Amino acid sequence: MTIFPISFIFFLTLSSSYASVQDFCVADYTAPQGPAGYSCKTPANVKVDDFVYTALGVAGNTSNINNLGVTTAFAAQFPGLNGLGLSLVRADFAVGGVSPIHVHRGASELILVVEGTLIGGFIDSNNKVYLKTLKKGDIMIFPQGLLHFAKNKGDTPALVFAAFNSENPGVQLLENALFQSDFPTELIAQTTLLDTAQIKKLKGLLGGTN
């Protein structure tokens, strides 16, 4: 893989970063985190390694229920991103791998298929579904706050990089919210039209209670 695809995503998202009165605000993990994010390191303590992150060069672990390995480069892992309004994720899809339906409350997501074939899609607020088969080199945008997903459609592993216009886009998976929580089974049944047997099975699979 060349450097170009990753650089391309970064430059697409740079325009959304907000202006600052200083050159940068490297995250100080030793200080309390407030609503606006991490406090800034004292410039004298900032090192070049604060602006370098190497974890995305390693494939993620796909030995899980979704056959998906996700490696994040958010401000919580990459201090140099703090305050710059962008971040990056590596997603490794084993054969049959899926990124389940989820939302990012704080950012839009731009994905680039580096290897493999996927089907990507999102649902707008009028419940219209937008689906597309994506191949190597294709990109697709998932607008902020909309339910979306991706699935490996091919018979080989797939690799995707995703860029966000926030250093902390946030994520909530629909299946985890319903079935990995203490949301009462009866209320889920009443509000989703799923039967209780299905709900209990999914809660048992994902670790939810009640």
Side-chain angles (χ1 to χ4, degrees), residues 60-140:
N61 181 9
T62 59
S63 299
N64 52 63
I65 191 172
N66 293 314
N67 296 315
L68 175 71
V70 176
T71 308
T72 58
F74 298 155
Q77 298 85 37
F78 187 6
L81 288 182
N82 191 48
L84 296 182
L86 74 163
S87 56
L88 198 64
V89 163
R90 172 180 177 142
D92 291 274
F93 293 77
V95 175
V98 60
S99 177
I101 295 174
H102 62 282
V103 297
H104 302 288
R105 67 183 184 278
S108 296
E109 177 180 357
L110 180 67
I111 66 170
L112 167 66
V113 181
V114 178
E115 297 290 346
T117 303
L118 293 96
I119 181 166
F122 67 89
I123 307 168
D124 72 11
S125 56
N126 293 314
N127 296 321
K128 181 176 180 179
V129 180
Y130 296 83
L131 296 175
K132 186 70 175 181
T133 297
L134 305 171
K135 299 180 180 180
K136 181 177 179 178
D138 291 343
I139 63 175
M140 185 173 186

Side-chain angles (χ1 to χ4, degrees), residues 66 98-105 123 127 145-149 170-183 188 191-192 194 199 202-203 206 208:
N66 293 314
V98 60
S99 177
I101 295 174
H102 62 282
V103 297
H104 302 288
R105 67 183 184 278
I123 307 168
N127 296 321
L146 297 185
L147 292 165
H148 60 280
F149 77 97
V171 61
Q172 185 173 37
L173 277 69
L174 182 60
E175 62 181 26
N176 290 3
L178 292 175
F179 310 118
Q180 203 178 65
S181 67
D182 59 357
F183 194 166
I188 296 177
T191 56
T192 65
L194 294 172
I199 296 167
L202 290 168
K203 278 181 170 282
L206 293 175

